[in-house]
Amino acid sequence: MLDAKQILPPLRRKDREITGDAAIENILDRCDVCRIALNGLEGYPYIVPLNFGWEKKDGAYVFYFHCAKAGTKLDLLRADGRCAFELDAGHKLLWAEDPAETGMAYESVCGLGRITEVLSPEEKLRGLRRLLYQYTGEEETPLKENTVNGVTVLRMEVLELRAKKCPETGLA
């Protein structure tokens, strides 16, 4: 199996790289959508935006998603759980007198992962609670059993991630 670190190219702009768990987690906490790209039909990528929750387990990031019990996303994941992902926050238009020099400030986290379906009822509940925590800040949201049983919960183990920012100045 190819190591994920052999797949992602190095960042061209090292000065924009964000390192350190606290800084990366600050970005994750402010994001409200995670886009995943799957290996789609006929070799075309299949990209889908998802609500998410995350946590760190044994030093590695884990993301949780929920979805219906059937559909294209699940069909593709069951055939090949490899994915790429992207999240972004902190958007601000940087208008310049010369429109050709106008840019966008942002912070982003991108990486590679493997997605599997959560089968354990305990982990399924944990995943749904992590999702709700992302949007509500509530740790122990009560959930009805029929709600938990009515959805599919997915778990993405992050193999590698990178974070970067484009600050408000220095847009070269």
Side-chain angles (χ1 to χ4, degrees):
M1 181 171 101
L2 188 61
D3 180 15
K5 293 185 186 225
Q6 297 172 348
I7 297 171
L8 291 176
L11 287 178
R12 182 182 65 85
R13 295 286 309 265
K14 287 286 194 191
D15 59 314
R16 294 186 179 177
E17 186 173 21
I18 297 172
T19 58
D21 291 346
I24 291 168
E25 292 164 11
N26 179 273
I27 297 170
L28 294 176
D29 286 342
R30 291 182 289 114
C31 291
D32 58 5
V33 172
C34 179
R35 293 161 194 84
I36 61 169
L38 307 173
N39 291 309
L41 302 174
E42 302 294 326
Y44 286 96
Y46 181 83
I47 300 172
V48 60
L50 296 169
N51 296 114
F52 73 100
W54 69 274
E55 66 183 356
K56 202 157 185 194
K57 279 187 160 179
D58 301 322
Y61 290 99
V62 174
F63 285 70
Y64 290 99
F65 311 102
H66 70 91
C67 62
K69 295 275 192 179
T72 301
K73 173 175 53 252
L74 284 177
D75 293 342
L76 294 175
L77 284 169
R78 288 172 178 150
D80 185 351
R82 294 176 299 164
C83 71
F85 65 92
E86 186 275 342
L87 307 97
D88 51 73
H91 306 109
K92 181 180 178 186
L93 182 65
L94 304 174
W95 186 254
E97 191 172 313
D98 177 355
E101 294 179 16
T102 296
M104 182 69 75
Y106 65 89
E107 297 168 304
S108 67
V109 176
C110 300
L112 302 172
R114 285 201 183 273
I115 299 178
T116 55
E117 190 172 338
V118 174
L119 301 176
S120 146
E122 296 81 19
E123 187 179 8
K124 194 172 179 182
L125 183 59
R126 173 137 185 91
L128 289 171
R129 284 195 171 132
R130 293 308 305 162
L131 259 149
L132 288 166
Y133 178 76
Q134 183 72 22
Y135 303 97
T136 68
E138 298 290 326
E139 285 284 347
E140 291 294 321
T141 306
L143 295 167
K144 295 179 182 174
E145 188 175 337
N146 64 336
T147 302
V148 175
N149 293 334
V151 298
T152 300
V153 175
L154 304 171
R155 177 184 205 261
M156 178 178 69
E157 295 181 28
V158 174
L159 302 174
E160 183 179 6
L161 64 75
R162 295 204 178 125
K164 67 185 253 187
K165 65 181 172 187
C166 180
E168 294 190 28
T169 59
L171 285 178

